[in-house]
């Protein structure tokens, strides 16, 4: 194969990994391994919005690629990593996609599943179904260069609609319902990837991803705040219900597989990978409460993260893939991105949304425990690519 064609093949491999949501430091490792299989030496620096390739064997030729922020496509990520097993195979891959109706149902399922897990009124759960459909509609309309505004617009419309529903006398917790409707946009995976990058001393990528996550949270918060204010101006003031839990136990339990499957569909995970990731979803939900063994939920969060990361890494070794595919469901549920949003809302609106004291401080402790858990797990059992 001509040298330039080989370089293009390596660059395409790295760009596809980045596009599918692989953490930057893993993009570097996988791409260098792929180049080594083709007897090509490459040095690269992967960042959240760019990758720089340098080929020392060709007079230090440099290829710089400016890329859009990564979206999450677990099927594409799995297909790309499987190319490491057949380096001389075709780079053309048949994309795996769920039908549009399945994606719409998944978007509609996440808000009620979230409320079923944290507890709410049955009226709020029913309303959240329609809010989830509205948020999905925002994603369909705001595409291309308009994507940057989708979180803010969705949160703004959600706030207006929830204020209108509340003005009709429905017993709904306004701010909890708003957060449930847009919880899909809470950057749990970006926060998880940033913590993973920081754990491996990739400070540039880690801080960049944290910055992106903070901006997303700001757009969501200000959108909800403005939406509720505009809605109250249109529909009139109404009393917001404080935290109330009318959800029966069976609905609490059913909420977990529902949100896990919905997350898998939205992030385009294959059914087999969703099934293998279900145990970490269970751990992510209930692990912090039951694995503390009397030492508190911070220790429980640390131990849960260790188990989730070890399980994902072990399954990835068996399937010849990356642990991110199987860790995702548990980490998204475990990472307290929505807690930060709830904390900001409680501080501004001065009312309890969830029955968790000092919820903002608890989110900080959980971030720290998650990062410590990842460091511990990778020191015990590192991914195959690093051995």
């Amino acid at each position: 194969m001509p040298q330039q064609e080989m370089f293009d093949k390596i660059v395409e491999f790295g760009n596809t990994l980045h596009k599918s949501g692989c953490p930057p430091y893993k993009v570097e490792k996988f791409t260098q391994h792929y180049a080594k299989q083709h007897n090509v030496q490459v040095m690269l620096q992967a960042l959240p919005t760019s990758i720089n390739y340098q080929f020392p064997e060709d007079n230090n030729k440099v290829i710089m690629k400016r890329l859009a922020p990564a979206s999450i496509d677990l099927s594409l990520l799995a297909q790309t990593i499987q190319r490491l097993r057949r380096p001389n195979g075709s780079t053309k891959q048949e994309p795996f996609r769920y039908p549009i109706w399945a994606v719409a149902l998944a978007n509609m399922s996440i808000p009620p599943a979230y409320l079923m897990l944290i507890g709410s009124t049955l009226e709020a759960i029913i309303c959240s179904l329609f809010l989830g459909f509205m948020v999905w509609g925002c994603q369909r309309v705001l595409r291309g260069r308009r994507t940057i505004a989708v979180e803010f617009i969705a949160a703004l419309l959600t706030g207006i609609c929830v204020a209108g529903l509340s003005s009709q006398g429905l017993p709904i917790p306004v701010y909890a319902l708003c957060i449930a409707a847009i919880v899909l946009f809470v950057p749990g995976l970006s926060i998880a990837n940033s913590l993973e990058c920081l754990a491996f001393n990739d400070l540039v990528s880690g801080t960049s991803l944290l910055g992106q996550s903070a901006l997303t949270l700001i757009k969501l918060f200000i959108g909800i705040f403005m939406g509720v204010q505009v809605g109250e101006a249109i529909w009139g003031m109404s009393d917001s219900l404080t935290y109330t839990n009318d959800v029966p136990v069976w609905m609490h339990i059913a909420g977990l597989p529902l949100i896990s499957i919905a997350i898998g569909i939205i992030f385009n995970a294959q059914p087999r990978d969703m099934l293998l990731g279900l145990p970490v979803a269970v751990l992510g939900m209930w692990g912090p409460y039951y694995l503390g063994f009397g030492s508190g939920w911070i220790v429980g969060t640390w131990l849960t993260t260790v188990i989730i990361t070890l399980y994902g890494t072990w399954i990835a070794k068996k399937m010849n893939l990356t642990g991110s595919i199987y860790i995702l469901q548990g980490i998204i549920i475990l990472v307290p991105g929505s807690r930060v949003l709830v904390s900001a809302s409680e501080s501004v609106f001065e009312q309890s949304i969830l029955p968790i004291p000092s919820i903002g401080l608890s989110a900080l402790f959980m971030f720290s425990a998650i990062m410590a858990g990842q460091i511990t797990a990778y020191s015990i059992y590192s991914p195959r690519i690093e051995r």
Side-chain angles (χ1 to χ4, degrees), residues 7-67:
F7 291 169
D8 292 341
K9 190 175 180 180
I10 292 170
V11 169
E12 181 271 336
F13 180 85
N15 290 351
T16 306
L17 282 177
H18 183 280
K19 176 184 176 182
S20 60
C22 188
Y25 83 95
K26 285 188 177 180
V27 172
E28 296 175 358
K29 294 182 181 297
F30 284 128
T31 306
Q32 287 175 330
H33 186 70
Y34 183 74
K36 186 178 180 181
Q37 289 181 328
H38 291 87
N39 299 316
V40 175
Q41 184 180 0
V42 63
M43 295 184 295
L44 67 154
Q45 181 184 35
L47 300 172
T49 56
S50 65
I51 304 180
N52 298 327
Y53 302 85
Q54 182 176 357
F55 297 93
E57 298 172 346
D58 189 18
N59 296 321
N60 287 316
K61 179 178 181 178
V62 175
I63 300 176
M64 303 178 67
K65 290 289 184 179
R66 184 76 175 175
L67 305 170

Side-chain angles (χ1 to χ4, degrees), residues 283 286-304 307:
L283 283 168
W286 289 297
Y289 301 99
Y290 296 107
L291 295 181
F293 301 110
S295 301
W297 57 264
I298 297 177
V299 174
T301 301
W302 169 78
L303 185 57
T304 299
I307 296 173

Side-chain angles (χ1 to χ4, degrees), residues 183-207:
V183 74
L184 173 63
F185 295 128
V186 174
L189 189 61
S190 294
I191 294 173
N193 281 342
S194 68
L195 295 177
E196 188 174 347
C197 289
L198 292 173
F200 282 89
N201 293 320
D202 187 356
L203 302 181
V204 176
S205 297
T207 52

Side-chain angles (χ1 to χ4, degrees), residues 128-250:
S128 68
L129 274 168
F130 300 98
L131 292 173
F133 181 78
M134 182 194 68
V135 170
W136 175 74
C138 291
Q139 297 175 63
R140 299 291 299 174
V141 173
L142 299 173
R143 292 184 156 191
R145 61 184 178 83
R146 299 184 183 91
T147 304
I148 193 172
V150 66
E151 296 95 344
F152 172 73
I153 297 298
L156 180 70
L157 293 177
T158 296
I160 294 173
C161 292
V162 172
L165 292 171
S166 179
S167 69
Q168 302 303 311
L170 289 175
I172 56 175
V174 171
Y175 302 112
L177 181 54
C178 288
I179 291 172
I182 50 85
V183 74
L184 173 63
F185 295 128
V186 174
L189 189 61
S190 294
I191 294 173
N193 281 342
S194 68
L195 295 177
E196 188 174 347
C197 289
L198 292 173
F200 282 89
N201 293 320
D202 187 356
L203 302 181
V204 176
S205 297
T207 52
S208 296
L209 289 170
L210 274 181
Q212 290 177 3
S213 303
L215 289 174
T216 301
L217 289 171
I218 290 171
K219 287 190 286 185
L220 294 174
F221 169 72
I222 198 64
I224 290 175
F225 178 78
M226 291 176 59
V228 171
Q229 298 300 312
V230 171
E232 289 181 346
I234 297 173
W235 311 108
M237 294 286 292
S238 60
D239 294 330
S240 177
L241 195 69
T242 56
Y243 178 78
T244 304
N245 185 9
D246 295 335
V247 178
V249 174
W250 70 267

Side-chain angles (χ1 to χ4, degrees), residues 341-359:
L341 205 57
V342 170
S343 174
S345 301
E346 289 187 351
S347 299
V348 172
F349 303 118
E350 297 181 348
Q351 61 175 278
S352 175
I353 297 177
L354 292 179
I356 303 175
S358 304
I359 188 170

